Amino acid sequence: MNQLILLMPILTVLVASIVLMLLSMYDRFSTKYFIALSSVFLIVALGFSIATLTHEYSIKVFSDIFNNVLIFDSFSNFFTILLIAGTLLTILIGEHYFLHRKYFKGEFFTILMFALFGMILLGNANELITAFIALEIASFSIYVMVGYNSDDNKRVEAIFKYLVLGSFIGAFYLLGTVLIYGATQTTNLSEISTYISTHSGNDLALVYIGLTLILFTFLFKIAAFPFQSWLLDVYRGAPMIITAYMASVFKIAIFSFFLRVFLQDITSVIDFWDSIMYVIVILTLVFGTWLAITQKIVKRMLAASSIVHTGYLLLAFLAVGQNFEAAYATMFYLIAYLLSAIGSFGLVSHINSETRVRVTYDDFKGLSKERPFLAAMMTIFLLSLAGIPSTIGFIGKFYVFTEAINAGFTSLAVLAILATIVSVYYYFKLIAVMYFYPANASCESEGFNDKRVSTYAIAFIALLTVLGGIGSAIVFFIPMPGIDNMIDIAQMSVQSLMMK
């Protein structure tokens, strides 16, 4: 029964996928109905996950059935909560956007749930083939959602580029798996870990090559240099709310699996990739910063800036090999980035729901006079992305940079700080045009009703962004967990990996 309870979050999401798929056959169910039903399923799944949040455990559920290919522990539960909460927030913040796009039918929410199912399964994978299947379930669902906007001719280029490159990089993963199996005679992560700890020298040559090929898949999925070529065009062609989902939730799912592999299974040989990761962090930060500065379209600027945030996360990843506490910083930064990315991307989709489409910086001129509440919320998210004090983004960057310095990567930390300083330019540029420029004549008097579910969702995310920065110790009358509690949960989650 205890093992069944641990399975309930992912089973709830799977049942939701099937139920929504069956209901999508009937035209009498409106988009609003699917939004409500999806939200109910996600809240139930989230409740099951939160119920075990404070317990440290590690169980290979129904091992006689699944043959130890799945592992449920505090670590995977931490990411399950983030994935479910991120999906729920995406649906709520996109409510207005969904209702004003005719192509969003019940099938879309079915695909979204299947994507979430694949992501959760990836976080619980204890075997390379299982992880690949989970990754492809999530990836193919994302491919479909990228091309879902039938009104945008850029969707064809976006889905084609993402599908072809994604399938190509998937071959690298499989080739790496084959090489690892050839050396170890297994694809089970626990058994691979045992092999690595009991062998050395030439015996590990194929393992090193195989893991390097799998590392390429990881770098592609998170859009790190030099695998970022697809990102701007794919983000540009995808529906805005899907861009928000890809930039935040999907990226967290990728980190959930590879962070497990680095911390639990190959920690004894992780230093092997330090040199290449050192160079990748530098190039990711520099190239992402340059791309973000040169963009004139807000959506592309946010997309390019996500490459820079990938660089910060990779810096924390690199520090893990020398400083185990960097893992806690990585997990906290994922929370900070989840809130900031969903908030910023989702708010732009909310603004563009039924009004004139705002694309460039100039299109956002005078937004503070026209819709002051949304301009204020956007400012909070941009301040968090820039790492300005009193936001959760600042705390996240502080932890990452501190742990990187403690691990001996002071020069990389200085470069990351410089990238943060430069980011002030392209984030504050958008704030400046919202507050200090008159509105364009074509944007005036749009007549927009902000009393919607998506508006309240935006306000809720903005509140979490601020509370995460100032801590609940200051706003003591609000019963919310503070920063220390988040770090404690992250520590407990990582410690559960040692219970395998």
Side-chain angles (χ1 to χ4, degrees):
M1 182 58 67
N2 291 335
Q3 296 184 38
L4 183 61
I5 291 175
L6 296 179
L7 282 171
M8 286 308 297
I10 191 171
L11 289 179
T12 302
V13 173
L14 179 60
V15 170
S17 306
I18 297 173
V19 170
L20 291 171
M21 179 177 62
L22 296 176
L23 292 178
S24 65
M25 297 186 296
Y26 302 98
D27 294 333
R28 66 175 179 270
F29 297 111
S30 65
T31 302
K32 182 175 289 188
Y33 176 86
F34 283 102
I35 292 174
L37 187 58
S38 301
S39 300
V40 169
F41 273 114
L42 290 175
I43 291 172
V44 172
L46 189 61
F48 281 118
S49 296
I50 293 176
T52 58
L53 180 61
T54 57
H55 299 81
E56 184 177 335
Y57 60 91
S58 179
I59 300 174
K60 294 174 182 176
V61 296
F62 299 109
S63 56
D64 53 334
I65 299 176
F66 296 120
N67 197 28
N68 294 330
V69 300
L70 295 177
I71 183 169
F72 287 75
D73 50 23
S74 302
F75 181 83
S76 63
N77 189 55
F78 175 89
F79 284 98
T80 297
I81 291 173
L82 289 187
L83 294 172
I84 296 174
T87 305
L88 178 61
L89 290 174
T90 300
I91 291 176
L92 295 179
I93 205 172
E95 178 257 356
H96 197 198
Y97 188 83
F98 293 138
L99 294 179
H100 287 82
R101 298 293 187 277
K102 294 181 180 179
Y103 49 82
F104 285 116
K105 304 291 186 181
E107 295 87 350
F108 172 82
F109 298 95
T110 299
I111 298 170
L112 183 64
M113 287 297 173
F114 273 117
L116 176 59
F117 170 75
M119 294 177 197
I120 297 176
L121 186 63
L122 180 63
N124 290 282
N126 189 47
E127 195 263 342
L128 291 176
I129 299 300
T130 303
F132 177 77
I133 293 172
L135 181 62
E136 290 306 298
I137 291 174
S139 296
F140 273 91
S141 299
I142 297 292
Y143 297 154
V144 175
M145 290 190 290
V146 164
Y148 218 81
N149 185 357
S150 56
D151 298 334
D152 189 354
N153 55 11
K154 294 184 181 296
R155 70 187 179 97
V156 177
E157 178 187 1
I159 189 174
F160 184 76
K161 179 174 289 189
Y162 196 28
L163 176 61
V164 171
L165 293 177
S167 301
F168 180 74
I169 204 68
F172 279 81
Y173 183 100
L174 288 178
L175 179 58
T177 301
V178 169
L179 293 176
I180 292 172
Y181 180 79
T184 65
Q185 304 303 307
T186 183
T187 55
N188 186 283
L189 291 176
S190 299
E191 295 174 4
I192 292 172
S193 176
T194 302
Y195 182 90
I196 291 175
S197 62
T198 56
H199 293 75
S200 61
N202 292 333
D203 292 339
L204 294 179
L206 286 179
V207 175
Y208 282 129
I209 297 173
L211 289 174
T212 302
L213 293 175
I214 293 176
L215 177 64
F216 290 163
T217 304
F218 167 64
L219 296 174
F220 173 85
K221 293 296 184 180
I222 63 173
F225 188 92
F227 303 98
Q228 82 299 325
S229 60
W230 59 271
L231 184 131
L232 292 185
D233 291 331
V234 172
Y235 279 24
R236 178 73 175 89
M240 192 67 200
I241 198 65
I242 302 308
T243 304
Y245 195 67
M246 293 173 63
S248 55
V249 181
F250 188 47
K251 188 172 290 189
I252 286 177
I254 303 302
F255 272 96
S256 69
F257 174 70
F258 286 94
L259 190 59
R260 173 189 295 278
V261 173
F262 286 173
L263 292 175
Q264 176 179 274
D265 302 305
I266 65 170
T267 183
S268 60
V269 296
I270 194 174
D271 294 346
F272 177 81
W273 292 273
D274 276 1
S275 297
I276 187 173
M277 290 295 290
Y278 194 98
V279 175
I280 289 174
V281 170
I282 294 174
L283 294 176
T284 300
L285 289 172
V286 173
F287 191 76
T289 299
W290 177 77
L291 276 181
I293 292 174
T294 56
Q295 299 306 313
K296 296 181 179 179
I297 296 175
V298 171
K299 188 177 182 181
R300 288 174 68 94
M301 180 275 289
L302 292 173
S305 71
S306 71
I307 299 176
V308 183
H309 290 278
T310 295
Y312 300 143
L313 286 165
L314 287 178
L315 173 59
F317 243 72
L318 181 61
V320 167
Q322 309 297 327
N323 178 16
F324 199 73
E325 292 186 358
Y328 315 144
T330 305
M331 296 170 73
F332 184 85
Y333 195 85
L334 287 171
I335 298 175
Y337 182 67
L338 172 68
L339 295 174
S340 305
I342 284 186
S344 57
F345 281 102
L347 196 149
V348 173
S349 71
H350 178 73
I351 292 174
N352 290 333
S353 295
E354 63 182 16
T355 63
R356 175 185 178 274
V357 175
R358 297 176 188 261
V359 177
T360 66
Y361 282 97
D362 289 341
D363 293 332
F364 282 80
K365 286 181 177 179
L367 183 66
S368 63
K369 300 179 182 61
E370 194 183 325
R371 296 160 74 181
F373 172 77
L374 293 184
M377 297 299 100
M378 190 65 176
T379 300
I380 291 174
F381 298 134
L382 292 173
L383 291 176
S384 182
L385 289 170
I388 302 301
S390 78
T391 64
I392 194 172
F394 168 77
I395 302 298
K397 285 185 174 63
F398 176 80
Y399 280 134
V400 169
F401 299 160
T402 300
E403 298 303 337
I405 293 173
N406 291 338
F409 298 105
T410 304
S411 57
L412 280 184
V414 171
L415 177 63
I417 292 172
L418 291 175
T420 300
I421 294 173
V422 175
S423 72
V424 171
Y425 166 74
Y426 50 82
Y427 288 132
F428 275 54
K429 181 179 178 180
L430 182 55
I431 296 174
V433 299
M434 289 191 299
Y435 280 92
F436 303 117
Y437 288 83
N440 292 329
S442 58
C443 293
E444 294 177 350
S445 302
E446 290 181 323
F448 192 93
N449 178 16
D450 275 331
K451 295 180 179 180
R452 297 179 178 275
V453 171
S454 50
T455 309
Y456 297 119
I458 290 169
F460 177 71
I461 297 173
L463 177 64
L464 293 180
T465 302
V466 174
L467 285 179
I470 62 178
S472 59
I474 296 177
V475 192
F476 59 88
F477 51 86
I478 299 180
M480 294 185 65
I483 295 171
D484 292 338
N485 300 103
M486 296 183 194
I487 294 296
D488 290 341
I489 292 173
Q491 290 175 340
M492 182 187 67
S493 301
V494 173
Q495 289 167 3
S496 71
L497 296 177
M498 306 302 121
M499 299 172 62
K500 64 175 183 175

